[in-house]
Amino acid sequence: MKMTFEKFVIGASIAIGVSALATVPAQAGTLTGATIGGTAASDYLVYDSNATNTFVIPNSQANVQKVLDGSSGNPTGNVELRASSEQVGFDFSKNTTLIGQIGGKSITLSSLTATDWFSTGSGLSTSYGAQNFANTWFNQFYNAAGLTANESAIKLALSLPSLTPSSFIRQQAFSAFFGIGGFQRSSDPNISYVNQNDTTGDIQIGLAGHYNLKDYYAPLLGTFGNFLKDGFQASEVVKVTYNDKTDFLYSFSATASGLTNSAGLGADGKSHSGNYEVTIKGMPPTAVPEPSVILGLLGVAGVFATQRKLKKASI
């Protein structure tokens, strides 16, 4: 009877240990091994943060990794890819990438090039109405900016007939946006965090931007700038490659970050005030046992070893 009870206890211990091994979740996933690359690998800025401000710090791999520790509830610093996008003579054929590991898989986040925006599959077209990403994105941007609701007023401001079709107004807005380098300006994402949900595998990417984008674009867009919606929101675009799939990610809805770029080089008092979160489906990370579970299994192994010795001694 005693041996039967001992076998029962050992068997139960093994069952509990194996069950715990199978069900203990992995720790929260964040980007590790962050490195900068691409055809313009030196064209980036690293912003650290305190309770209220973001500010530029020296470029280094250690600093890149350091600032990517935020979340949607607590955005912190960020890494701006292709930081020279607003400068005269910008080479729109090159990109800057942020590469790392998350959940045991490689992920690449990149700035966009002219090819990303304007490729039609058979060449590049910068015309309104072309079948490319630029047109898909710009029509959504136009709607988010509130220009659709103001088309009657825009016609009056441009001295256009009242029967002018909406497509013509959009074409004019597209040309104005292209003329101020709007697509380049939307190609330099500020990555503030890359996190993974352990259960679903979903990967959340934080993009730092303007909480009120009208402040940025109204002075640049001439007549169209006068009709932008107060407080309209739009993130920059990030190109993400993960698990052999590439996506262009962006958002038209931000939460207040509690930060502004208000100190040091390039401070404007408005940048980084909004956090735009975009998501892709990821592979759930493999479960990792807790140290206590491993110790428990070692304890069970010890019981086996002790019982075998006792059995040999009794023979």
Side-chain angles (χ1 to χ4, degrees), residues 94-157:
K94 296 182 178 181
N95 72 331
T96 309
T97 62
L98 170 64
I99 306 169
Q101 296 282 322
I102 190 160
K105 286 189 169 292
S106 178
I107 186 169
T108 300
L109 300 94
S110 175
S111 63
L112 273 64
T113 66
T115 298
D116 293 321
W117 285 104
F118 303 116
S119 176
T120 62
S122 58
L124 302 186
S125 174
T126 58
S127 299
Y128 180 74
Q131 297 298 308
N132 54 25
F133 175 65
N135 276 267
T136 298
W137 177 87
F138 180 78
N139 280 320
Q140 296 175 50
F141 178 90
Y142 182 96
N143 294 337
L147 295 176
T148 305
N150 287 322
E151 285 183 352
S152 294
I154 293 171
K155 292 175 188 179
L156 288 174

Side-chain angles (χ1 to χ4, degrees), residues 40 52 64 79 82-83 90 98 108-109 117 138 178 183 192 198 255 275 280 295 315:
T52 57
V64 167
V79 180
R82 207 64 172 102
F90 175 71
L98 170 64
T108 300
L109 300 94
W117 285 104
F138 180 78
F178 181 86
F183 292 103
S192 55
D198 290 336
T255 56
N275 179 67
I280 60 171
L295 290 174
I315 293 176

